[in-house]
């Protein structure tokens, strides 16, 4: 059997296994499975690969998109540029196991975002500084959109602190992207600490979270007429790109 999967911790929020199960059934892909592998420590990935000889590739989610780098033999150009990996291809032969890291977040995010961009979406706030934010920032740079990162530990210089966000900053940045897990099921009543009262109908809010479909972050935007996007379509695009990589 060909085996693929997802590593991260925790994985209770993930839709990946359901997505691939539906794909395998609808496309009559047999003798293939996709499983969740919750790893409390990234070091467990070595034994996972040894104990699962049928494993041919896996996706990576929070919190290991950066930590996985030291376990890889090679990186794709996108993964090198971004500095984070969310897809690994495993190649096995008589000489051993070779792991190649890829980043499909860039493709998924760009293709999800671009259809909704308006000419005035020239500046963005990126909430969070983890692995997903790296792909987002890389993509924004490619699109010519100036961005400012925001974090709870921001020093106020290279990265803003949430406490610094005011009416002027919110008004100047009409694209706001949440790359943090804040608001993910089951903690659905939590949201990034931004001053939502300054949002306008010109704002575009993108939440990489897909469970729930409408987070409190997005709901707060919808209530004042902003355009809102969740991470569901991005997930589908990432999954299809991962499938291409594993089968390429």
């Amino acid at each position: 059997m060909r085996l693929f999967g997802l590593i991260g911790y925790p994985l209770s929020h993930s839709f990946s296994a359901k997505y691939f199960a539906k794909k395998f059934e609808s496309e009559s892909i047999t003798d293939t499975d996709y499983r969740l592998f919750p790893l409390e420590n990234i070091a467990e990935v070595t034994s996972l690969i040894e104990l699962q000889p049928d494993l041919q590739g896996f996706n990576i989610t929070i919190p290991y998109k950066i930590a996985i780098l030291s376990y890889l033999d090679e990186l794709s150009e996108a993964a090198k540029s971004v500095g984070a990996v969310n897809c690994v291809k495993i190649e096995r032969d008589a000489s051993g196991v070779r792991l190649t890291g890829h980043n499909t977040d860039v493709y998924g995010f760009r293709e999800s975002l671009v259809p909704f961009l308006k000419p005035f979406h020239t500046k963005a706030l990126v909430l969070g500084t983890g692995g997903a934010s790296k792909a987002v920032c890389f993509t924004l740079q490619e699109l010519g959109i100036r961005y400012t990162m925001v974090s709870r530990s921001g020093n106020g210089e290279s990265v803003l602190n949430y406490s610094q966000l005011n009416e002027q900053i919110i008004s100047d940045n009409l694209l706001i992207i949440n790359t943090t897990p804040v608001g993910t099921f089951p903690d659905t009543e939590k949201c990034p600490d931004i001053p939502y009262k300054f949002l306008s109908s010109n704002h575009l809010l993108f939440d990489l979270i897909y469970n729930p479909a409408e987070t409190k972050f997005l709901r707060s935007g919808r209530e004042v007429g902003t355009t809102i996007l969740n991470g569901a379509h991005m997930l589908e695009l990432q999954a299809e790109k991962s499938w291409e990589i594993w089968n390429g």
Side-chain angles (χ1 to χ4, degrees), residues 70-81:
S70 61
Y71 294 87
L72 305 177
D73 300 297
E74 188 177 353
L75 294 175
S76 69
E77 289 304 314
K80 285 180 187 176
S81 299

Side-chain angles (χ1 to χ4, degrees), residues 211-227:
N211 183 18
E214 185 178 86
T215 58
K216 188 174 181 181
F217 170 72
L218 293 182
R219 184 168 71 247
S220 298
R222 176 179 56 77
E223 289 173 349
V224 295
T226 72
T227 300

Side-chain angles (χ1 to χ4, degrees), residues 137-156:
C137 292
F138 177 80
T139 304
L140 294 175
Q141 188 170 353
E142 281 194 325
L143 294 172
I145 297 174
R146 294 170 57 193
Y147 65 85
T148 302
M149 303 185 77
V150 184
S151 169
R152 288 177 299 177
S153 58
N155 56 19

Side-chain angles (χ1 to χ4, degrees), residues 47-61:
S47 58
L48 172 67
I49 294 167
E50 291 175 354
L51 294 171
Q52 299 288 346
D54 294 329
L55 189 62
Q56 297 184 16
F58 56 88
N59 294 118
I60 303 103
T61 188

Side-chain angles (χ1 to χ4, degrees), residues 58-60 85-89 100-104 242 245-246:
F58 56 88
N59 294 118
I60 303 103
V85 163
N86 73 320
C87 175
V88 171
K89 182 174 183 177
T100 303
H102 300 262
N103 191 298
T104 64
S242 293
I245 290 167
W246 295 330

Side-chain angles (χ1 to χ4, degrees), residues 203-219:
H203 277 89
L204 169 57
L205 300 191
F206 194 135
D207 200 331
L208 270 55
I209 293 170
Y210 51 87
N211 183 18
E214 185 178 86
T215 58
K216 188 174 181 181
F217 170 72
L218 293 182
R219 184 168 71 247

